[in-house]
Amino acid sequence: MEKYKYKELVDKYKPKEDRLKNTFIAFFIGGALGIIGEFLLELYSSLLHIPTSQAGTFMIITLIFVGCLLTCFGFFDNWVSFAKAGLIVPITGFAHSMMSAALDYRKEGFVTGIGANMFKLAGTVIIYGVVSAYVFGLMRILLFGGNI
């Protein structure tokens, strides 16, 4: 079968996505996750009597833990199919990618299974995050002299 005929056939049967609907769902789910994060931030700040800058660490740890736990129980994938980027873009998505890779390769052992494969997806996020932070930090120093 020729490439263009195959592409036409695939496009004919490919389900159409409603991008506007998905955008609003991701926006509201991501916003709800932000509200939950802010609630946790204020909760830890008041319970532990620490500044919100320090409570942020506990909030992030909690969101990562909940994301990993929901991945282990198999709920996260179902929720992501509904919420799309609203759950994948925040830190919960990063936790999910790490935990799902660890769960997939756990039978191969700690070193050759979990250790070697856990960063397959998350490694790209880490490397591009570090590179972009370096580039933007360098731009800030060059443009503003670091006086912001």
Side-chain angles (χ1 to χ4, degrees):
M1 183 179 282
E2 295 179 27
K3 284 186 178 183
Y4 71 92
K5 286 185 180 180
Y6 178 75
K7 184 174 178 356
E8 288 176 4
L9 186 64
V10 168
D11 289 340
K12 180 179 175 183
Y13 291 103
K14 186 168 116 178
K16 305 295 183 216
E17 67 174 313
D18 187 358
R19 290 187 181 175
L20 186 64
K21 176 184 163 193
N22 290 343
T23 301
F24 281 115
I25 289 172
F27 178 77
F28 287 114
I29 297 293
L33 193 59
I35 291 170
I36 291 169
E38 187 64 31
F39 171 75
L40 289 171
L41 192 69
E42 295 297 325
L43 179 73
Y44 288 135
S45 179
S46 65
L47 285 179
L48 301 175
H49 306 292
I50 57 177
T52 54
S53 60
Q54 292 177 358
T57 304
F58 294 107
M59 179 266 300
I60 290 172
I61 290 170
T62 303
L63 290 177
I64 289 172
F65 176 75
V66 169
C68 290
L69 195 65
L70 293 176
T71 300
C72 289
F73 289 135
F75 295 128
F76 202 89
D77 285 326
N78 296 332
W79 290 350
V80 165
S81 65
F82 170 73
K84 313 277 189 276
L87 286 177
I88 290 294
V89 173
I91 193 75
T92 54
F94 184 74
H96 170 68
S97 70
M98 296 283 289
M99 183 55 70
S100 61
L103 290 173
D104 286 344
Y105 293 102
R106 70 179 182 261
K107 291 179 182 167
E108 295 179 22
F110 286 114
V111 175
T112 58
I114 294 172
N117 295 299
M118 191 157 54
F119 287 97
K120 279 187 175 179
L121 177 62
T124 58
V125 175
I126 293 170
I127 192 67
Y128 285 111
V130 169
V131 168
S132 61
Y134 176 78
V135 168
F136 288 119
L138 189 61
M139 287 172 48
R140 179 180 173 186
I141 289 172
L142 292 175
L143 293 174
F144 303 107
N147 295 328
I148 294 180

